[in-house]
Amino acid sequence: SQQGEEDPQALSIQEGENATMNCSYKTSINNLQWYRQNSGRGLVHLILIRSNEREKHSGRLRVTLDTSKKSSSLLITASRAADTASYFCATDPYSSASKIIFGSGTRLSIRP
Amino acid sequence: EAGVAQSPRYKIIEKRQSVAFWCNPISGHATLYWYQQILGQGPKLLIQFQNNGVVDDSQLPKDRFSAERLKGVDSTLKIQPAKLEDSAVYLCASSVGWEIPVNTEAFFGQGTRLTVV
């Protein structure tokens, strides 16, 4: 079963704009991660945020975590054509043995 | 460092045949995952190993799927017999291990695309 649900399912924006994707999950977590998947390729880890953290930055990426609402958001600033991909949140449920459970993903398209 | 290696990249089989996938994780990674990703969906965890022991296989269809991790390193996933609904990409991933649960960054292989006809 899927732990997380991303919103929106698909997003199309103009190059240079910011893209925001949201993730909601069901159970308490140890951490939450975001991954990118280009068409036909494997998943690439982007960023991990721990349950005791509220915000984290990595380059053009900004991730927030609200454990009270069981939600996270991924912001990509100044989008580029190369950012076109599917983005997945993945949770490590509390009391699990480092399980990584993926959501359904957001398909992001960047228009030139 | 070398990444997660998977083979084959593509496989086409007829229903009721059997198939096996192989995965070589990153050296030193104790945890190994197998995921099934159906087109348009997120990866679904099938089985998780810690060294050569199974940590979670709750979503593995055990009547037809089996997996093992040889000597806590390489792993194989087998389907016997295959059904049409098994058509998917099978992804292998590895991570350092559960001794550091807050650092469960997983590294993925390119996957095996299985088509059952």
Side-chain angles (χ1 to χ4, degrees), chain B residues 44-61:
Chain B
K44 171 187 167 185
L45 179 65
L46 293 177
I47 189 167
Q48 177 185 347
F49 292 94
Q50 174 71 13
N51 296 312
N52 60 353
V54 175
V55 173
D56 187 297
D57 63 357
S58 57
Q59 299 222 77
L60 187 74

Side-chain angles (χ1 to χ4, degrees), chain B residues 9-94:
Chain B
R9 285 296 310 277
Y10 305 93
K11 190 75 177 179
I12 301 175
I13 62 172
E14 295 182 349
K15 59 183 179 183
R16 291 187 290 273
Q17 286 188 322
S18 50
V19 64
F21 313 126
W22 173 82
C23 173
N24 180 234
I26 292 173
S27 177
H29 280 193
T31 303
L32 185 146
Y33 310 85
W34 282 103
Y35 289 87
Q36 178 193 59
Q37 186 175 24
I38 293 172
L39 186 65
Q41 299 182 15
K44 171 187 167 185
L45 179 65
L46 293 177
I47 189 167
Q48 177 185 347
F49 292 94
Q50 174 71 13
N51 296 312
N52 60 353
V54 175
V55 173
D56 187 297
D57 63 357
S58 57
Q59 299 222 77
L60 187 74
K62 298 180 186 64
D63 58 333
R64 299 184 299 106
F65 286 64
S66 64
E68 61 179 0
R69 189 174 183 193
L70 308 173
K71 300 180 181 178
V73 182
D74 291 5
S75 178
T76 55
L77 176 70
K78 297 179 181 178
I79 307 175
Q80 180 180 13
K83 293 184 176 181
L84 296 176
E85 59 260 36
D86 298 332
S87 294
V89 176
Y90 291 84
L91 296 162
C92 178
S94 68

Side-chain angles (χ1 to χ4, degrees), chain A residues 2 9 11 15 25 42 48-49 58 69 74-75 78 99 106:
Chain A
Q2 300 296 118
Q9 289 187 332
L11 178 63
E15 191 169 13
Y25 56 92
L48 180 151
I49 186 165
S58 177
K69 294 181 180 178
L74 171 67
L75 169 66
K99 197 182 290 188
T106 292

Side-chain angles (χ1 to χ4, degrees), chain A residues 40-64:
Chain A
R41 309 187 75 170
L43 288 99
V44 174
H45 181 267
L46 295 176
I47 196 166
L48 180 151
I49 186 165
R50 301 175 187 178
S51 61
N52 61 351
E53 297 176 314
R54 292 297 167 258
E55 188 171 312
K56 204 161 184 180
H57 297 255
S58 177
R60 294 184 296 114
L61 306 180
R62 172 178 171 256
V63 169
T64 62

Side-chain angles (χ1 to χ4, degrees), chain A residues 1-2 30-31 33 35 37 40-45 48 50 88 92 97-105 107, chain B residues 9 33 35 37 40-45 48 55-56 59 91 97-98 101-106 108-110 113:
Chain A
S1 61
Q2 300 296 118
N30 291 316
N31 63 64
Q33 306 175 51
Y35 287 80
Q37 186 176 39
R41 309 187 75 170
L43 288 99
V44 174
H45 181 267
L48 180 151
R50 301 175 187 178
F88 296 91
D92 176 6
S98 298
K99 197 182 290 188
I100 302 176
I101 307 298
F102 284 84
S104 50
R107 294 187 308 279
Chain B
R9 285 296 310 277
Y33 310 85
Y35 289 87
Q37 186 175 24
Q41 299 182 15
K44 171 187 167 185
L45 179 65
Q48 177 185 347
V55 173
D56 187 297
Q59 299 222 77
L91 296 162
W98 65 359
V102 292
N103 291 324
T104 50
E105 174 185 350
F108 281 80
Q110 291 296 303
R113 185 178 298 276

